Amino acid sequence: MTAPLFNRRHFNASALALAGGGFGMAALAAKARKLLVLGDSLSAEYGLPRGTGWVALLQKQLDQSHPGTVIVNASISGETTSGGRSRLPALLQQHQPTHVIIELGGNDALRGLSLAMTGDNLNFMAKAAKAAGAKVLLLGMQMPPNYGPEVTRQFAALFPATARATGAALVPFFLKGVGDDADPLRWFQADRIHPNEAAQPRLLANVWPELKKQLQ
């Protein structure tokens, strides 16, 4: 009679352990992080060996600091804020990210597109991502100085204005330490537009402090 009783107790204990493990797995699943990066050539490894861009470096960083975090890099070379705006709803539905990093606006500036349109697109994307339940990190950009100081100022102001209006986190200048370096040419490819491989850790260093806050 004692053996069956022992087996029954053993079964009950095992069942409880499995149930607890199930709850633990569910809790881990609930905490799983998925980052969607919506950017242009600066995030799409343009002109770089595969796996050396700042997004790939970020994945390696997350593998160490936040295991299980997955990055979906939906960046496309040449992308504008209008292109990002049109693609974002489907990306949110498909990937259901917990975090969205928006790195767009540089091509708007290079093409001389409407500042009002760029600002409207940035606001739309930040609000759409937040409405989908994601935390949003906006990477600020600056316009080349040849457009004149006033236009340059207005463009740079779009990013903090969007952050204030939407509650998104902000990296004030994504290319800090690269585009504003005393000798910036050493950080750029031959086209003088795209950061080289040596610059990628600097770009990550600009993003990481703000992103780390959102991951806690």
Side-chain angles (χ1 to χ4, degrees):
M1 295 295 294
T2 56
L5 180 60
F6 173 81
N7 289 340
R8 190 179 301 116
R9 288 174 177 172
H10 180 72
F11 173 80
N12 290 339
S14 299
L16 288 172
L18 287 172
F23 286 127
M25 292 176 63
L28 287 174
K31 294 180 180 179
R33 302 177 183 89
K34 182 181 287 187
L35 278 64
L36 173 67
V37 180
L38 186 64
D40 51 33
S41 56
L42 300 183
S43 300
E45 292 190 330
Y46 178 89
L48 300 173
R50 296 303 89 178
T52 63
W54 76 269
V55 178
L57 298 181
L58 174 59
Q59 181 67 75
K60 293 178 182 178
Q61 169 70 41
L62 292 170
D63 289 343
Q64 296 295 319
S65 61
H66 297 77
T69 303
V70 176
I71 297 179
V72 176
N73 191 354
S75 302
I76 298 177
S77 295
E79 185 71 290
T80 62
T81 58
S82 294
R85 175 174 181 162
S86 67
R87 291 195 298 125
L88 182 58
L91 289 170
L92 292 173
Q93 183 176 17
Q94 177 183 357
H95 299 291
Q96 300 181 10
T98 57
H99 299 72
V100 174
I101 300 176
I102 301 173
E103 180 275 299
L104 289 171
N107 286 316
D108 293 45
L110 291 175
R111 299 178 188 183
L113 301 180
S114 164
L115 294 178
M117 179 187 70
T118 298
D120 183 60
N121 289 337
L122 290 172
N123 272 271
F124 175 90
M125 288 186 287
K127 290 178 179 178
K130 293 199 73 174
K135 295 182 179 180
V136 180
L137 178 58
L138 192 63
L139 306 189
M141 297 297 298
Q142 294 182 10
M143 183 176 280
N146 54 296
Y147 285 89
E150 182 57 24
V151 175
T152 300
R153 183 194 66 78
Q154 291 179 10
F155 178 80
L158 293 175
F159 297 89
T162 298
R164 288 192 299 270
T166 64
L170 174 69
V171 172
F173 184 33
F174 178 44
L175 296 179
K176 181 180 179 181
V178 176
D180 57 358
D181 186 80
D183 182 20
L185 293 183
R186 64 175 173 157
W187 301 113
F188 284 87
Q189 299 177 38
D191 60 11
R192 300 187 178 187
I193 296 176
H194 297 94
N196 58 27
E197 184 176 346
Q200 301 305 307
R202 288 194 168 205
L203 300 182
L204 175 58
N206 292 336
V207 175
W208 180 245
E210 289 301 322
L211 179 60
K212 185 178 180 180
K213 296 176 185 176
Q214 293 188 319
L215 294 171
Q216 292 175 347

